[in-house]
């Protein structure tokens, strides 16, 4: 249907029909709807009645081809105008084939593979009846105390923007209507949900508009420029006003400046939560502020359904606002082809074919292998082919490695590290013994030491519990559970080489681990093929290539610690550590333990001198920056060559480093590759104090290297 036909359809809708289109309920209201008690109790309090359910616009977190087919067919019989229901779900890093958590994917720096993972997630979800995914989550994160850093691709606006585009392309493809095995994507959480004070979940976000625009908004904008079909409002305040009622953010920036004309959906109950925030007296005022801000769909609370009729009748809300919201929702349904085919991709036969198929598992394996980051290695890895290995620790045998947002994923489908090593090693050379994550029994300890006593090398699989990250899981202590730290100390006393593998959803404080271990491999929550990927990395069949997309602090006391920091007026410069009156701590270094972009390999890469094509860059030309990189080791490997800049004299303070580009070079032993970059004036632009987005003529530095700290540099001038 074209827009005129949609407007004609709206013309047939009663006010109740229109307002009900703005309501989103969980799938249980539809699936279990036949038994009436669902509409009693809490739901009765919510005032959700049968008429509402029959006219509501969308459902969340329901899936399964047969289930969706039955619900849609039942619903259409009851919906007066036959407007199909929209099905949405949190397909964040996979549907059934679960990929590594997004923070891990961010460490892969592999954009095509990230795009492929989103495409696979879309195919598996679409054949299971889902139309929209609440992804990508592109919130920039600098504070590992926040549990949802696991859901982000990290601390850099440029890298996050590239991943945002890749995920949107993967989910949506380029023909949402024609390719019914794709999903409409919903970028979240708009905006700046990743910057809560204290890293505390749902806490206040407060920053300058300039900081918001410079660091936190770019990735949402990139997703929208890539055609993302929906935007989700965040729980948090933005400059004192919750996003769900923030007209400046939603109508001013999102729709006004960026020209976004798609659907905006609230987060779960985020409209009603404006009462708790203290900016609304009641549901009625929450409904008023949200509809004025341009929130189209209310997730899981009925402020709209209850109060828009009276607000319309009283003239406080113009029906035009409702009609606009309804039109955007109907346009989305049209974009998905639901009017012609309300069942879209739901297909039990295809479900059996594609879900967890070998190709999908292979992609999950590849992404897991490229998302792991080798943080330390004194030569203990890769494991010697003749070594007797003891694999111990809470994640030795565990398949609970999918991460918090694992959608319809089932840990029973996941390969544990022990199972994977057993497939790859002679049983005489491998003994395994697991234990608890937060407590270790004496029998577990005995079994682990028995395994260790007979081994040449210990692989210790440590980590957080899956529930220690994700939504509602902020931590003030970033260390591993105490029991694991004590175990490591006891294992270190054996004097045997120790390789630690980490399963976690955030950068950790590795005190008591990093020094004690001979090698540390960061595996994050690696998804359904994580065990296999880690096993191949440990055995050297795969060479680690991951690079950190979020800094690892020495301790939580340093947080937030991120690479693109400012110099201050009294920087700590090498050799002046003992000075008092400089920007430093008296009990900690300023630098993180491991910087953004960091990652080791089993081979070595040698960088040649940085070559720059000129000392002056004019606004309509470009400079070429290049550096030769040689693989001087004995193994093939992938080196992610990173390019950063620094503006030496901005109108406002400018970061010491800003990532502007990177090249991944696959090099065989002895092979030399050249990383070639093109630098333009556009890449030097930033938000000035008046919020203008422009560049300054003057002196710049360009840095190229293997991470944000270890670089070669050159200077150039931007000239008018
Ligand atoms: C949650 C999350 C959001 C998710 C939504 C629906 O509270 O904040 O990311 O998409 O509710 O599950």
């Amino acid at each position: 249907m074209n827009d005129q036909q949609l407007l004609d359809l709206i013309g047939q809708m009663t006010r109740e029909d229109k307002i009900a289109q703005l309501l989103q309920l969980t799938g249980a209201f539809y699936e279990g709807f036949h038994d009436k008690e669902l509409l009693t109790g809490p739901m009765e309090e919510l005032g959700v009645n049968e008429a509402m359910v029959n006219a509501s616009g969308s459902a969340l977190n329901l899936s399964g081809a047969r289930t969706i087919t039955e619900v849609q067919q039942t619903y259409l019989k009851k919906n007066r105008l036959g407007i199909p229901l929209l099905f949405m779900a949190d397909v964040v890093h996979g549907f059934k084939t679960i990929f590594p958590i997004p923070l891990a994917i961010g460490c892969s720096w592999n954009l095509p593979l990230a795009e492929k993972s989103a495409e696979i997630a879309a195919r598996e979800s679409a054949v299971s009846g889902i139309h929209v995914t609440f992804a990508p989550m592109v919130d920039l994160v600098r504070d590992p105390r926040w549990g949802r850093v696991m859901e982000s691709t990290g601390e850099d606006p440029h890298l996050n923007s590239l991943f945002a585009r890749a995920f949107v392309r993967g989910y949506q493809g380029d023909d949402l209507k024609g390719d019914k095995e794709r999903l409409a994507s919903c970028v979240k959480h708009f905006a700046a949900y990743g910057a809560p004070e204290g890293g505390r979940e749902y806490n206040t976000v407060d920053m300058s508009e300039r900081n918001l625009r410079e660091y936190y908004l770019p990735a949402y904008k990139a997703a929208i420029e890539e055609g993302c079909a929906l935007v989700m409002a965040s729980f948090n305040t933005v400059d004192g006003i919750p996003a769900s009622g923030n007209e400046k953010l939603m109508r001013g920036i999102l729709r006004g400046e960026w020209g976004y004309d798609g659907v905006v959906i609230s987060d779960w109950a985020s409209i009603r939560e404006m009462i708790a925030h203290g900016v609304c007296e009641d549901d009625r005022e929450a409904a008023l502020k949200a509809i004025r801000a341009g929130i189209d769909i209310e997730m899981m609370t009925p402020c709209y359904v209850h109060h828009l009729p009276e607000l319309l009748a009283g003239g406080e809300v113009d029906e035009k606002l409702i009609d606009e919201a309804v039109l955007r929702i109907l346009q989305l349904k049209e974009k998905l082809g639901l009017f012609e085919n309300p069942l879209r991709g739901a297909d039990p036969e295809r479900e059996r074919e594609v879900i967890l198929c070998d190709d999908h598992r292979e992609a999950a394996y590849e992404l897991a292998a490229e998302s792991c980051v080798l943080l330390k290695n004194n030569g203990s890895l890769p494991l010697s082919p003749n070594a007797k290995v003891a694999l111990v620790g809470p994640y030795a045998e565990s398949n609970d490695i999918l991460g918090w947002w694992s959608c319809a994923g089932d840990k029973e489908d996941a390969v544990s590290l022990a199972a994977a090593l057993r497939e790859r090693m002679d049983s005489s050379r491998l003994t395994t013994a697991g234990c608890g994550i937060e407590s270790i029994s004496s029998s577990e300890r005995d079994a682990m030491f028995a395994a260790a006593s007979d081994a040449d090398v210990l692989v210790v699989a440590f980590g957080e519990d899956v529930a220690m990250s994700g939504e509602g899981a902020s931590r003030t202590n970033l260390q591993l559970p105490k029991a694991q730290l004590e175990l490591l100390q006891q294992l270190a006393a054996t004097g045997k080489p120790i390789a630690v593998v980490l399963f976690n959803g955030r950068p950790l404080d590795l005190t008591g681990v990093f020094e004690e271990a001979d090698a540390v491999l960061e595996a994050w929550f690696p998804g359904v093929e994580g065990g296999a990927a880690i096993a191949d990395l440990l055995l050297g069949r795969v060479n680690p290539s991951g690079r950190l997309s979020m800094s690892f602090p020495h301790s939580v006391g340093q947080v937030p610690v991120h690479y693109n920091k400012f110099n201050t007026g009294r920087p700590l410069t090498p050799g002046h550590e003992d000075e008092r009156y400089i920007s430093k701590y008296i009990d900690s270094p300023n630098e993180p333990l491991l910087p953004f972009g960091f990652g080791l390999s089993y081979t070595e890469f040698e960088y040649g001198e940085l070559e720059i094509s000129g000392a002056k860059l004019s606004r309509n030309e470009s400079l070429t920056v290049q550096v030769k990189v040689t693989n001087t080791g004995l193994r093939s490997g992938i080196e992610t060559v990173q390019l950063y800049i620094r503006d030496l004299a901005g109108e406002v303070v400018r970061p010491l480093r800003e990532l502007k580009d990177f090249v991944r070079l696959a090099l065989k032993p002895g092979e030399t590759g050249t990383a070639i970059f093109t630098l333009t004036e556009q890449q030097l632009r930033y938000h000035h104090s008046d919020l203008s987005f422009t560049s300054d003529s003057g002196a710049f530095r360009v840095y190229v290297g293997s991470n944000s700290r270890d670089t070669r540099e050159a200077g150039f001038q931007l000239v008018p």
Side-chain angles (χ1 to χ4, degrees):
M1 286 201 266
N2 61 34
D3 278 0
Q4 189 48 56
Q5 290 167 315
L6 294 176
L7 289 169
D8 294 346
L9 177 56
I10 293 173
Q12 298 170 50
M13 295 170 81
T14 64
R15 279 185 170 181
E16 289 65 31
D17 290 330
K18 294 177 188 178
I19 292 168
Q21 276 298 310
L22 314 187
L23 174 64
Q24 179 173 97
L25 298 170
T26 54
F29 281 90
Y30 306 88
E31 193 186 16
F33 177 45
H34 316 299
D35 43 12
K36 295 288 183 273
E37 85 269 1
L38 248 184
L39 293 180
T40 58
M43 292 313 154
E44 208 166 19
E45 281 160 37
L46 275 173
V48 180
N49 61 38
E50 189 166 344
M52 258 186 236
V53 176
N54 289 341
S56 57
S58 58
L60 80 153
N61 292 343
L62 194 63
S63 66
R66 294 193 190 289
T67 300
I68 297 275
T69 298
E70 188 203 334
V71 166
Q72 186 73 289
Q73 288 171 340
T74 307
Y75 173 86
L76 285 170
K77 288 188 191 115
K78 299 182 178 199
N79 182 280
R80 190 172 68 84
L81 293 166
I83 300 172
L85 202 51
L86 202 49
F87 294 97
M88 306 190 188
D90 290 292
V91 185
V92 178
H93 54 104
F95 177 67
K96 281 292 279 185
T97 301
I98 301 301
F99 292 90
I101 56 174
L103 186 58
I105 295 175
C107 293
S108 74
W109 296 57
N110 189 329
L111 299 168
L113 202 45
E115 179 173 341
K116 185 174 179 183
S117 75
E119 177 183 350
I120 287 170
R123 295 206 179 283
E124 293 194 352
S125 312
V127 298
S128 300
I130 296 169
H131 304 143
V132 174
T133 177
F134 296 128
M137 185 275 215
V138 302
D139 304 330
L140 186 130
V141 290
R142 292 173 165 173
D143 189 334
R145 291 173 293 182
W146 190 48
R148 299 189 78 165
V149 300
M150 52 75 60
E151 220 176 320
S152 167
T153 48
E155 71 187 45
D156 180 73
H158 178 63
L159 189 62
N160 288 355
S161 299
L162 294 175
F163 274 112
R165 291 177 184 275
F167 287 134
V168 170
R169 286 193 303 268
Y171 287 126
Q172 299 193 166
D174 49 19
D175 175 12
L176 254 187
K177 193 166 190 176
D179 184 349
K180 57 187 183 182
E181 292 189 358
R182 296 288 186 148
L183 294 179
S185 61
C186 175
V187 65
K188 68 185 183 184
H189 304 79
F190 192 68
Y193 177 27
E197 283 180 6
R200 196 181 84 215
E201 185 60 284
Y202 312 127
N203 203 7
T204 303
V205 169
D206 200 8
M207 64 179 72
S208 69
E209 182 174 342
R210 196 176 56 75
N211 196 42
L212 177 75
R213 288 174 178 272
E214 185 71 12
Y215 297 102
Y216 290 86
L217 293 189
Y220 305 109
K221 188 171 186 220
I224 286 158
E225 286 171 352
E226 204 64 35
C228 195
L230 296 90
V231 172
M232 181 184 290
S234 58
F235 291 116
N236 55 282
T237 53
V238 177
D239 197 9
I241 301 174
S244 298
N246 194 318
E247 284 190 58
K248 177 176 178 183
L249 181 70
M250 294 298 174
R251 289 200 186 277
I253 296 176
L254 179 64
R255 295 193 189 280
E257 275 182 51
W258 297 355
Y260 175 69
D261 63 358
V263 168
V264 175
I265 183 169
S266 79
D267 202 338
W268 188 291
S270 66
I271 288 177
R272 170 175 273 180
E273 288 173 7
M274 287 198 280
I275 300 169
H277 273 292
V279 294
C280 294
E281 276 190 33
D282 52 25
D283 284 3
R284 180 187 173 285
E285 192 176 8
L288 178 61
K289 289 197 170 182
I291 199 71
R292 281 180 174 166
I295 311 297
D296 300 315
I297 297 178
E298 177 177 9
M299 186 190 290
M300 272 310 280
T301 49
C303 302
Y304 278 2
V305 169
H306 265 187
H307 298 286
L308 283 180
E310 76 194 75
L311 291 166
L312 283 169
E316 290 182 83
V317 167
D318 186 319
E319 187 146 4
K320 196 168 65 64
L321 283 189
I322 312 291
D323 290 351
E324 279 172 13
V326 174
L327 178 61
R328 289 190 282 260
I329 294 165
L330 298 186
Q331 284 170 329
L332 175 60
K333 295 183 179 184
E334 167 56 28
K335 198 185 278 186
L336 286 158
L338 292 179
F339 288 103
E340 293 85 356
N341 175 9
L343 299 181
R344 198 161 183 269
D347 181 335
E349 202 46 49
R350 283 288 290 158
E351 261 182 332
R352 279 189 291 278
E353 279 170 30
V354 302
I355 284 183
L356 281 168
C357 68
D358 291 349
D359 288 353
H360 292 184
R361 276 189 173 272
E362 175 58 28
Y365 165 87
E366 271 181 55
L367 197 44
E370 296 205 17
S371 302
C372 293
V373 187
L374 186 58
L375 302 180
K376 178 182 180 184
N377 187 22
N378 68 1
S380 308
L381 289 179
L383 298 170
S384 153
N386 308 314
K388 292 185 77 172
V389 176
L391 168 63
V392 298
Y395 279 96
E397 299 279 2
S398 171
N399 56 5
D400 196 1
I401 57 176
L402 302 185
W404 182 252
W405 285 104
S406 53
C407 200
D410 184 340
K411 64 182 184 180
E412 297 316 311
D413 296 321
V415 176
S416 72
L417 178 53
L421 283 174
R422 282 193 198 102
E423 280 173 16
R424 291 161 172 79
M425 291 175 68
D426 185 291
S427 58
S428 65
R429 294 201 300 110
L430 175 67
T431 50
T432 67
C435 67
I437 287 174
E438 298 195 71
S439 64
I440 299 172
S441 69
S442 53
S443 62
E444 287 170 333
R445 189 180 308 282
D446 294 347
M448 288 191 285
F449 277 85
S453 65
D454 191 29
D456 304 315
V457 59
L458 312 184
V459 174
V460 188
F462 275 157
E464 295 180 303
D465 183 275
V466 169
M468 291 167 75
S469 61
E471 186 171 359
S474 291
R475 294 181 65 194
T476 57
N477 173 352
L478 298 178
Q479 294 193 351
L480 284 170
K482 205 163 170 332
Q484 293 180 38
L485 297 177
E486 286 164 359
L487 173 64
L488 186 60
Q489 274 191 327
Q490 291 154 3
L491 290 170
T494 65
K496 296 189 176 183
I498 292 177
V500 167
V501 181
L502 295 170
F503 295 78
N504 45 298
R506 58 164 48 86
L508 295 174
D509 166 353
L510 293 178
T511 306
V513 178
F514 197 74
E515 291 313 315
E516 287 66 12
D518 297 285
V520 181
L521 180 68
E522 175 57 76
W524 308 109
F525 285 111
V528 73
E529 285 295 330
I534 298 163
D536 285 344
L537 287 161
L538 292 174
L539 294 171
R541 297 181 185 182
V542 174
N543 187 356
S545 60
R547 297 288 182 270
L548 291 178
S549 63
M550 189 174 182
S551 307
F552 270 58
H554 278 283
S555 75
V556 71
Q558 280 188 311
V559 168
V561 61
H562 48 90
Y563 88 96
N564 46 2
K565 60 188 178 290
F566 303 130
N567 203 26
T568 78
R570 294 194 177 188
L572 168 58
T573 49
H576 296 268
E577 287 78 4
D578 297 336
E579 287 182 25
R580 184 178 180 88
Y581 301 108
I582 51 175
S583 179
K584 70 168 194 179
Y585 302 101
I586 58 174
D587 59 356
S588 163
N590 287 2
E591 297 308 313
L593 172 70
L594 300 164
F596 175 83
F598 179 85
L600 300 176
S601 168
Y602 290 151
T603 191
E604 287 75 40
F605 296 104
E606 200 170 285
Y607 279 64
E609 284 316 306
L610 191 154
E611 298 164 43
I612 187 165
S613 59
K616 292 187 184 339
L617 171 63
S618 61
R619 290 173 189 276
N620 53 7
E621 289 175 2
S622 64
L623 284 178
T624 301
V625 178
Q626 62 183 39
V627 69
K628 290 195 184 322
V629 181
T630 302
N631 178 346
T632 54
L634 303 175
R635 291 170 173 272
S636 297
I638 296 172
E639 173 66 346
T640 299
V641 184
Q642 302 151 42
L643 179 136
Y644 299 85
I645 61 125
R646 180 186 177 189
D647 183 343
L648 294 178
E651 186 254 353
V652 296
V653 290
R654 310 289 297 121
L656 288 169
R657 298 281 188 282
E658 289 179 87
L659 178 74
K660 291 298 177 185
D661 203 348
F662 63 89
V663 167
R664 299 180 80 229
L665 295 178
L667 297 172
K668 297 186 181 64
E671 185 181 3
T672 295
T674 305
I676 302 175
F677 302 97
T678 300
L679 208 48
T680 63
E681 175 270 332
Q682 287 81 353
Q683 290 169 288
L684 310 181
R685 295 178 187 175
Y686 66 94
H687 290 88
H688 287 56
S689 56
D690 64 358
L691 302 183
S692 62
F693 188 65
T694 57
S695 60
D696 304 323
S697 298
F700 286 80
R701 302 296 293 176
V702 58
Y703 306 86
V704 175
S706 54
N707 59 64
S708 56
R709 177 190 65 198
D710 308 319
T711 55
R712 279 154 171 63
E713 62 181 275
F716 68 93
Q717 289 280 336
L718 176 63
V719 296

